[in-house]
């Protein structure tokens, strides 16, 4: 009989208990709220545990995006009261490092948001006010947020308190929710370089399904508040299991940690767990998963290049389409962010390897990180379930785009032209009764593959109901 090292046995037992707890939590949430809410919660749990990664250099910030009353805030409410979370119902980036004249300089560290959040997850249920500011304020706010999301702290200078600085290992998670984001906000983010990840997972419900859902709410035996309480308790218990199983012995203090968090006791008091305990071994990751993450990173950074397109009359009276040149985005930052999201998702699933089980989330987040007009156009390329879609995969017509996005012919043609200018495909201009048509660049034909489509909109697919273990939620 082969002797198995105790460390290997302990690792297997730890991961097994986390995987059991993960399946129980999934079944609880799906039973009470449905698979879509579980998909959103699954993503948020990964962000909440991202500070366990030893080499995570960039805070993970994930914003849930959907219409009003679509359970975004419900999911974030599941994290209320947890010691490793910090909830904000009102937020401005200026609060990270304050220059308020109403606070004495010696008391500033007591009010700086940045000093309160290392190794925690900031919960902001309504980020719409951040994204719906006038252009100048939006650019200033996002520039500050982007700097903080580099994970090294922040320095600023103000007329009230002069130069101020909190620098070091200021890693944290951020979870927010907002209604769909304006093009102005997308433009502001593209100029600075986006540090935010988004998750748009809208339900596609027919009128009959909406009516059935309303009836279920009116007749179900368990009250909504009871279900929320049950979910919060289940989330709290699950995260405590994750933290317990990934606690390292002996523990190494994070290099560059804030001076008030330089001991195990201080960290436990501050955030309720010990951060940076999991060192990742990339050689154990599934090659197929890494390949798709690499393809998605290239596609998204290509697809959200900053570009302006407009139509005007030429000297001969004909309409002419003009544009600025596309500004390429580097692939490194986005790759790092989605890779860390995949790793964090693996951890909460009870694994220390990225596998294909992490890909549905990464696919959904990656597509959500495209500006809305480009994302919807891309969906029309490969999603044959869109009602107005009649063209073959890899193509769509201007008429289909107009119907899907509910926009004018002029706007639809501008969107198609943008996609062509940034290199996602080619536009065949319509003549007479032949309408304009967009065809996907063959370099991105993996988007129409069965393998990719198997990961797309996974929350609509029948969930795996297998279960094991005896952890009671």
């Amino acid at each position: 009989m082969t002797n198995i090292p105790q460390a290997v046995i302990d690792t297997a037992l730890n991961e097994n208990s986390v995987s059991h707890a993960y399946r129980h939590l999934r079944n609880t949430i799906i039973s009470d709220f449905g698979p879509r809410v579980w998909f959103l919660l699954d993503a948020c749990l990964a962000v909440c545990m991202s500070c366990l990664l030893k080499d995570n250099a960039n805070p993970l910030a994930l914003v849930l995006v959907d219409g009003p009353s679509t359970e975004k805030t419900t999911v974030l409410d599941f994290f209320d009261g947890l010691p490793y979370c910090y909830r904000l119902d009102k937020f401005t980036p200026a609060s990270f490092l304050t220059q308020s004249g109403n606070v004495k300089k010696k008391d500033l560290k007591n009010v700086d948001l940045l000093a309160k959040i290392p190794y925690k997850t900031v919960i902001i249920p309504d980020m719409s006010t951040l994204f719906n500011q006038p252009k100048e304020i939006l650019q200033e706010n996002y520039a500050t947020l982007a700097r903080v999301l580099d994970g090294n702290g922040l320095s600023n200078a103000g007329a009230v308190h002069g130069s101020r600085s909190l620098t070091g290992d200021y890693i944290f998670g951020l979870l927010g929710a907002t209604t769909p984001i304006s093009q102005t906000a997308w433009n502001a983010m593209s100029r600075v370089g986006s540090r935010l990840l988004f998750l748009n997972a809208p339900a596609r419900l027919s009128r009959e399904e909406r009516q059935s859902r309303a009836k279920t709410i009116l007749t179900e035996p368990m009250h909504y508040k009871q279900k929320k309480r049950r979910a919060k308790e289940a989330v709290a218990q699950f995260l405590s299991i994750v933290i317990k199983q990934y606690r390292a012995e002996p523990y190494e203090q994070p290099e560059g940690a804030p001076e008030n968090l330089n001991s195990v006791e201080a960290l436990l008091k501050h955030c309720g767990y010990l951060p940076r305990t999991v060192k990742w071994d990339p050689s154990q990751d599934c090659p197929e998963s890494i390949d798709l993450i690499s393809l998605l990173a290239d596609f998204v950074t290509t697809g959200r290049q900053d570009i302006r397109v407009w139509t005007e009359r030429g000297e001969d009276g004909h309409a002419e389409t003009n544009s600025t040149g596309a500004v390429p985005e580097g692939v490194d930052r986005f790759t790092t962010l989605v890779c860390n999201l995949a790793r964090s998702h693996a951890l909460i699933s009870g694994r220390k390897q990225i596998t294909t089980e992490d890909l549905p989330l990464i696919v959904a987040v990656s597509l959500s990180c495209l500006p809305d007009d480009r994302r919807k156009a891309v969906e029309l390329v490969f999603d044959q379930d869109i009602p107005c879609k009649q063209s073959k995969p890899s193509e769509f017509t201007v008429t289909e785009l107009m119907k899907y996005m509910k926009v004018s012919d002029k706007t639809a043609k501008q969107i198609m032209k943008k996609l062509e200018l940034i290199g996602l495909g080619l536009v065949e201009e319509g003549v007479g009764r032949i309408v304009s048509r967009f065809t996907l660049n063959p370099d991105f034909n993996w988007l129409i593959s069965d393998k990719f489509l198997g990961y797309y909109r996974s929350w609509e697919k029948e969930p795996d109901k297998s279960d094991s273990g005896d952890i009671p939620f």
Side-chain angles (χ1 to χ4, degrees):
M1 183 173 178
T2 304
N3 290 325
I4 302 175
Q6 187 61 43
V8 175
I9 296 174
D10 290 344
T11 299
L13 289 173
N14 289 349
E15 294 182 0
N16 190 44
S17 64
V18 171
S19 65
H20 280 218
Y22 178 81
R23 288 194 293 272
H24 276 280
L25 178 61
R26 177 196 62 192
N27 292 343
T28 297
I29 300 301
I30 290 177
S31 173
D32 288 349
F33 294 94
R36 179 181 170 276
V37 168
W38 164 247
F39 189 75
L40 299 176
L41 176 60
D42 194 25
C44 294
L45 290 168
V47 172
C48 191
M49 292 290 95
S50 61
C51 291
L52 286 173
L53 295 171
K54 189 176 184 67
D55 298 326
N56 182 9
N58 299 104
L60 272 183
L62 179 71
V63 182
L64 307 181
V65 185
D66 206 347
S69 302
T70 49
E71 301 166 311
K72 306 181 300 296
T73 304
T74 295
V75 172
L76 298 185
D77 285 346
F78 295 162
F79 294 87
D80 278 357
L82 295 175
Y84 13 89
C85 294
Y86 189 92
R87 180 174 173 129
L88 291 171
D89 289 320
K90 191 174 183 180
F91 165 75
T92 59
S95 62
F96 280 116
L97 200 59
T98 184
Q99 286 282 349
S100 173
N102 298 325
V103 182
K104 295 180 180 179
K105 191 166 186 176
K106 65 183 180 65
D107 297 326
L108 288 175
K109 287 189 176 182
N110 297 326
V111 296
D112 289 333
L113 176 59
L114 192 57
K116 300 176 182 179
I117 63 174
Y119 313 122
K120 290 192 174 188
T121 298
V122 181
I123 309 289
I124 310 174
D126 183 9
M127 291 187 72
S128 58
T129 53
L130 175 68
F131 293 111
N132 294 324
Q133 296 286 348
K135 180 180 177 181
E136 293 74 17
I137 297 176
L138 180 63
Q139 290 177 346
E140 180 180 352
N141 283 345
Y142 188 73
T144 301
L145 180 59
R147 184 69 187 95
V148 171
L149 288 175
D150 283 337
N152 301 312
L154 184 66
S155 299
N156 68 18
V160 179
H161 297 293
S163 297
R164 300 202 57 229
S165 178
L166 286 177
T167 57
D169 187 39
Y170 281 86
I171 201 81
F172 60 95
L174 188 150
L175 292 171
T178 184
T179 50
I181 300 168
S182 69
Q183 189 60 48
T184 301
W186 283 110
N187 292 342
M189 287 187 285
S190 69
R191 290 193 182 97
V192 179
S194 183
R195 273 78 162 174
L196 294 174
L197 297 177
F198 298 92
L199 178 55
N200 192 331
R204 289 179 179 172
L205 301 176
S206 65
R207 187 166 300 279
E208 291 76 16
E209 289 171 325
R210 287 168 61 88
Q211 292 170 351
S212 175
R213 183 167 181 171
K215 186 176 181 179
T216 299
I217 292 172
L218 294 170
T219 58
E220 61 186 355
M222 184 182 288
H223 192 273
Y224 181 72
K225 287 185 69 174
Q226 291 177 300
K227 293 197 297 183
K228 276 187 67 173
R229 188 182 308 114
R230 173 168 137 132
K232 286 174 64 175
E233 292 171 354
V235 167
Q237 186 170 358
F238 169 72
L239 290 178
S240 69
I241 291 171
V242 174
I243 285 169
K244 180 180 179 182
Q245 302 303 341
Y246 291 122
R247 179 167 175 168
E249 296 290 353
Y251 179 65
E252 295 181 8
Q253 296 292 117
E255 185 178 348
E259 59 183 22
N260 62 319
L261 301 177
N262 59 3
S263 70
V264 168
E265 293 74 17
L267 283 167
L268 290 174
K269 183 178 179 180
H270 169 72
C271 57
Y273 76 108
L274 297 178
R276 297 197 177 280
T277 58
V278 179
K279 186 169 179 61
W280 201 266
D281 182 2
S283 69
Q284 300 301 308
D285 294 333
C286 165
E288 177 185 328
S289 302
I290 297 304
D291 286 347
L292 183 54
I293 292 174
S294 302
L295 290 170
L296 284 165
D298 172 57
F299 178 74
V300 171
T301 51
T302 299
R304 65 184 187 188
Q305 293 177 79
D306 188 22
I307 193 169
R308 305 285 183 272
V309 177
W310 67 92
T311 302
E312 59 186 7
R313 296 284 177 184
E315 294 182 357
D316 58 359
H318 290 92
E320 295 180 354
T321 300
N322 295 305
S323 68
T324 61
V327 180
E329 175 184 344
V331 74
D332 295 13
R333 181 180 291 117
F334 184 78
T335 303
T336 299
L337 290 175
V338 293
C339 184
N340 282 335
L341 181 62
R343 290 175 176 178
S344 300
H345 184 260
L347 286 181
I348 65 166
S349 306
R351 293 177 278 107
K352 289 185 180 177
Q353 307 85 27
I354 297 174
T355 71
T356 56
E357 294 177 43
D358 306 308
L359 293 180
L361 172 60
I362 301 305
V363 166
V365 167
S366 296
L367 293 177
S368 301
C369 289
L370 292 169
D372 285 353
D373 56 349
R374 302 183 195 185
R375 174 178 56 81
K376 290 182 178 180
V378 166
E379 289 173 348
L380 200 53
V381 168
F382 59 79
D383 190 345
Q384 297 299 118
D385 292 330
I386 295 174
C388 62
K389 169 78 170 176
Q390 295 180 328
S391 300
K392 67 179 183 179
S394 80
E395 296 182 357
F396 65 81
T397 66
V398 67
T399 304
E400 291 168 339
L401 188 60
M402 289 168 58
K403 291 180 179 178
Y404 184 43
M405 295 188 62
K406 297 180 174 59
V407 296
S408 67
D409 175 80
K410 177 181 176 181
T411 300
K413 287 180 177 178
Q414 284 186 343
I415 294 170
M416 293 169 70
K417 189 64 178 177
K418 282 183 184 180
L419 297 184
E420 182 179 54
L421 290 170
I422 60 180
L424 293 189
L426 294 175
V427 176
E428 181 183 345
E429 299 289 350
V431 179
R433 294 188 177 183
I434 301 175
V435 298
S436 298
R437 181 178 298 274
F438 175 85
T439 302
L440 184 67
N441 183 331
D443 289 345
F444 302 117
N445 274 349
W446 52 268
L447 281 166
I448 61 175
S449 68
D450 290 341
K451 192 166 286 187
F452 174 81
L453 294 174
Y455 303 126
Y456 173 67
R457 292 190 71 87
S458 66
W459 63 90
E460 294 179 328
K461 300 175 175 67
E462 185 68 22
D464 177 13
K465 297 181 180 179
S466 62
D467 194 12
S468 60
D470 55 0
I471 299 171
F473 282 126

